[in-house]
């Protein structure tokens, strides 16, 4: 992912969360069980949760809305990194089942329909939830592909190799994380079922990472504020500062993500050696009254997160700082608010490859109804509907293509020259 920055890889976290391995301290009871290759620092590891529909035929406990699947592998990594990153529906998910023999009719649905749905079966685990996140990432990619942040206009060329903006893997990851909701169900803490409401923030993060993404909580279709900055580059000691103003009281979520340089062999898998190579920090500085300073300074994750509340008229600065870099580092920044009156005051000057000034944030204009219907009503804990089925199907297809390396090698080879000219050193956008 360091060399192919728009190549996002999504992994199933594993189904070892019920293991009672005791290595002393917290290294037991299903914790620290996320397995390779889901340990990848730049990829997304996905755990499994139940949904409201799961209860109709659920044979696994706990199985209420928002409960973590009992076997879903839990974090952290041995060096302290947050894994899994996200969770998605993975309990009693119906998908294809085949014996490999076209004439074999033995494989029929496990649903109580007398075997009418032959060739499908319900199954549970993180292998069922990972395709949901792959499908969600595909929808986010479509959303960003539907406009050009350099012009602020909707793209009109059709086809996968048309004149489209290619969001980086870091931007897709930051967007999904920014749209994630905390869970309010239950999980297995060893052999004990506990409520998340009565659980420490640390164990919540170990059980479900940043949460479950709800795309309409981050993507803007005219009723909220969304700002992105993608592929900006920092060197050691540099910083980028973006200043915002709130037109009314607003809650703001900020995610910084980047595809870090590969660590040493000793720092991979289950090693306690630090995997992070380049270190970026995120902070919010209050310029006027009505807001508070805050900072996120992880030394182990290529992700930083801040949530803050600002009052009407408040001005605040979002700062990305290069703390310790071994080489230049690209990053993606997402600033989102359910309040549509958050606006940009100033931002870093950006120049393209031909030294033309490019505004760091541009506004999307024109009709976006074509993608509104795609995402409306998307992944939500209480609505396991067509969106899940669509996400699973689309995610399965694109997951195979991504892993086998068919789509992006073609995309990169065709668009490398165009991308260098168009994107230049960096891109940023305001989606309003």
């Amino acid at each position: 992912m360091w060399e192919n920055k728009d190549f996002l890889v999504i992994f199933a976290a594993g189904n070892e969360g019920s293991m009672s391995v005791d290595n002393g301290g917290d290294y037991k009871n299903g914790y620290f069980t996320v397995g390779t290759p889901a340990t990848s620092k730049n990829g997304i590891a996905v755990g499994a949760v139940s949904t409201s529909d799961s209860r109709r035929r659920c044979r696994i406990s706990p199985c209420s809305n928002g409960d973590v699947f009992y076997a879903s592998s839990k974090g952290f990594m041995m060096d302290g990194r947050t894994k899994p990153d996200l969770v998605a529906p993975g309990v009693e998910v119906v998908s294809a089942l085949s014996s490999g023999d076209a004439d074999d009719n033995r494989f029929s649905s496990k649903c109580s329909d007398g075997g009418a749905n032959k060739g499908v079966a319900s199954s549970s685990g993180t292998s069922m939830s990972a395709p949901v996140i792959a499908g969600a990432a595909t929808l986010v990619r479509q959303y960003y592909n539907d406009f050009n942040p350099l012009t602020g206009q909707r793209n009109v060329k059709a086809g996968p190799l048309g004149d489209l903006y290619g969001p980086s893997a870091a931007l897709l990851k930051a967007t999904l994380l920014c749209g994630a909701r905390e869970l309010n169900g239950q999980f297995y803490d060893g052999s004990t079922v506990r409520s998340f409401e009565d659980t420490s923030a640390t164990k919540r993060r170990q059980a479900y990472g940043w949460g479950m993404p709800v795309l309409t909580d981050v993507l803007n279709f005219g009723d909220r504020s969304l700002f992105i900055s993608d592929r900006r580059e920092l060197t050691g000691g540099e910083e980028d500062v973006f200043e915002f103003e709130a037109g009314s009281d607003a809650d703001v979520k900020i995610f910084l993500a980047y595809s870090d340089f590969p660590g040493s062999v000793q720092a991979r898998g289950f090693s306690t050696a630090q995997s992070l190579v380049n270190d970026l920090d995120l902070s919010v500085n209050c310029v006027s009254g009505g807001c508070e300073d805050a900072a996120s300074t992880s030394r182990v994750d290529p992700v930083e997160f801040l949530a803050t509340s600002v009052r009407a008229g408040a001005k605040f600065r979002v700062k990305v700082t290069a703390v310790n870099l071994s080489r230049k580092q690209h990053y993606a920044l997402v600033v989102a608010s359910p309040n549509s009156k958050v606006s940009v005051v100033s931002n870093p000057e950006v120049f393209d490859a031909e030294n033309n000034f490019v505004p760091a944030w541009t506004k999307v204009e024109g009709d976006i109804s074509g993608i509104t219907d795609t995402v409306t009503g998307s992944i939500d804990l209480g609505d396991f509907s067509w969106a899940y089925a669509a996400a699973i199907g689309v995610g399965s297809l694109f997951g195979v293509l991504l892993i086998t390396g068919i789509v992006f090698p073609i995309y990169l080879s065709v668009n490398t020259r165009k991308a260098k000219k168009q994107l230049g050193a960096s891109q940023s956008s305001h989606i309003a």
Side-chain angles (χ1 to χ4, degrees), residues 97-108 118-119:
L97 175 67
S98 173
S99 67
D101 184 352
D103 297 324
D104 190 347
N105 293 321
R106 294 174 301 165
F107 289 80
S108 61
K118 293 181 178 180

Side-chain angles (χ1 to χ4, degrees), residues 37-97:
T39 56
S40 164
K41 61 183 174 182
N42 294 327
I44 294 180
V46 184
V49 296
S50 303
T51 62
S52 56
D53 267 21
S54 301
R55 292 176 289 180
R56 293 184 303 183
R57 54 184 179 275
C58 192
R59 299 179 291 275
I60 303 167
S61 178
C63 196
S64 298
N65 194 28
D67 291 342
V68 172
F69 177 50
Y70 82 97
S72 183
S73 290
K74 297 191 281 287
F76 296 118
M77 298 310 303
M78 298 293 280
D79 64 349
R81 283 180 292 121
T82 297
K83 294 289 175 180
D85 299 279
L86 296 167
V87 291
V91 177
E92 301 291 349
V93 175
V94 176
S95 60
L97 175 67

